[in-house]
Amino acid sequence: QAEELAALPDKLILGKRAEAFFEVEINQSNRYDVLVSNLQIIDNNLTLGEIDFLLKDLRSGDISHVELVYKFYLLDTRIKNPLEAWVGANRKDSLWRKLNHLKKHQLPLLQKPSVQYFLNQLGINPKQIKNQYAHFKAHLFLPKGYNKPILPYLNPNCISGTYVDLNSFKSDTYFRDKLYYSPFKKDWSIAPHLEVNWEDYNKQLEEVEYLAQNKKSSYLWVKNKLEQIELIFVVWWPIG
């Protein structure tokens, strides 16, 4: 298992890394067999979509279609729609948009005759596909100081940290005496720990400002003097 994970290409993006982790975990299972993973459906040179996983239950023989979603969302309190308000750190995605894409495109993909024909060619009987699941893992970040309840259908255990804008990061003395580590995006899934190369505030501020100039938010591990770690985003867009 460790060898499989170590062999992942270094440039593999975060979502694809999550899919690879999931596949390794399923391969350790005695109950499920991975029939296909990351299967691109192509018809007449046109890409119709991609199926993340088809898993066969070795006990029942049933096949399940699984779409894996791994996201980081920040609550923008200026947006009234409670699902649209959860946005990606660089505002290129939202929970609402992803749920719509799952509902209208990814999960219905199996109903297309061309996709069913494609699966039959692979020796997979579409009639055996009994279930469809969206395996959705999200890390949720609230505005710093926000203390209102989140939506009841969101798992509160997904709240991972807070976020501030660049002006707050520069002006709030809270951040001055902390140490910082900014993981590469492909490593955002790693649980924070102390054994990294920490930077002081001034050094980190340089990087944060550079990214903000390019409309990119910074994901930071923040360590205090008690060696406690919190997770924050410093976003390039204004808050409030």
Side-chain angles (χ1 to χ4, degrees):
Q1 184 175 359
E3 291 177 357
E4 289 182 70
L5 295 177
L8 292 178
D10 200 47
K11 293 183 179 180
L12 199 64
I13 63 174
L14 182 62
K16 292 298 182 183
R17 295 181 78 83
E19 291 173 7
F21 297 157
F22 179 83
E23 185 168 3
V24 168
E25 192 68 24
I26 291 296
N27 284 334
Q28 307 302 310
S29 168
N30 294 321
R31 179 166 179 177
Y32 295 100
D33 187 23
V34 178
L35 298 182
V36 298
S37 61
N38 304 122
L39 178 66
Q40 280 201 330
I41 306 296
I42 300 173
D43 184 35
N44 292 325
N45 296 320
L46 177 67
T47 301
L48 300 179
E50 182 179 281
I51 294 173
D52 284 352
F53 297 96
L54 291 179
L55 307 180
K56 184 174 183 178
D57 188 324
L58 299 177
R59 298 179 187 173
S60 67
D62 292 343
I63 298 173
S64 294
H65 170 208
V66 178
E67 288 296 318
L68 187 74
V69 184
Y70 186 76
K71 293 287 187 178
F72 285 67
Y73 288 124
L74 286 60
L75 179 62
D76 186 341
T77 55
R78 300 171 301 176
I79 300 175
K80 293 183 179 180
N81 183 310
L83 292 178
E84 287 183 350
W86 291 99
V87 300
N90 292 320
R91 307 193 69 83
K92 296 179 180 179
D93 186 20
S94 73
L95 178 57
W96 176 258
R97 189 182 306 173
K98 184 59 187 177
L99 291 175
N100 268 341
H101 188 63
L102 279 167
K103 181 179 179 180
K104 296 181 179 180
H105 180 71
Q106 289 178 275
L107 294 177
L109 190 62
L110 291 181
Q111 309 307 318
K112 295 180 179 291
S114 56
V115 174
Q116 294 186 0
Y117 174 80
F118 192 88
L119 293 176
N120 274 312
Q121 295 297 104
L122 294 175
I124 298 172
N125 183 356
K127 293 181 179 179
Q128 286 185 282
I129 302 176
K130 302 297 185 181
N131 303 294
Q132 289 186 293
Y133 301 103
H135 188 69
F136 207 124
K137 169 62 179 176
H139 294 272
L140 305 179
F141 289 75
L142 302 172
K144 194 163 185 64
Y146 186 85
N147 56 11
K148 297 180 181 179
I150 64 170
L151 295 174
Y153 44 82
L154 294 179
N155 184 352
N157 293 325
C158 290
I159 297 176
S160 300
T162 59
Y163 74 92
V164 297
D165 61 17
L166 178 59
N167 286 336
S168 295
F169 188 68
K170 293 170 69 173
S171 62
D172 192 337
T173 56
Y174 171 85
F175 297 108
R176 301 291 173 82
D177 63 346
K178 307 296 190 297
L179 294 177
Y180 298 86
Y181 175 71
S182 179
F184 293 112
K185 188 170 183 178
K186 68 181 180 65
D187 296 326
W188 282 10
S189 61
I190 296 175
H193 58 90
L194 295 171
E195 303 305 316
V196 295
N197 294 321
W198 297 94
E199 302 281 0
D200 64 22
Y201 170 80
N202 290 327
K203 181 70 175 178
Q204 190 60 63
L205 179 59
E206 292 179 12
E207 181 180 333
V208 168
E209 288 184 314
Y210 174 78
L211 290 174
Q213 289 171 4
N214 292 280
K215 293 188 175 181
K216 293 185 178 180
S217 299
S218 299
Y219 174 55
L220 306 176
W221 300 1
V222 183
K223 184 178 73 165
N224 64 19
K225 292 179 179 179
L226 299 177
E227 298 199 327
Q228 298 166 326
I229 300 174
E230 64 176 303
L231 304 180
I232 71 165
F233 274 95
V234 181
V235 299
W236 60 267
W237 35 276
I239 299 174

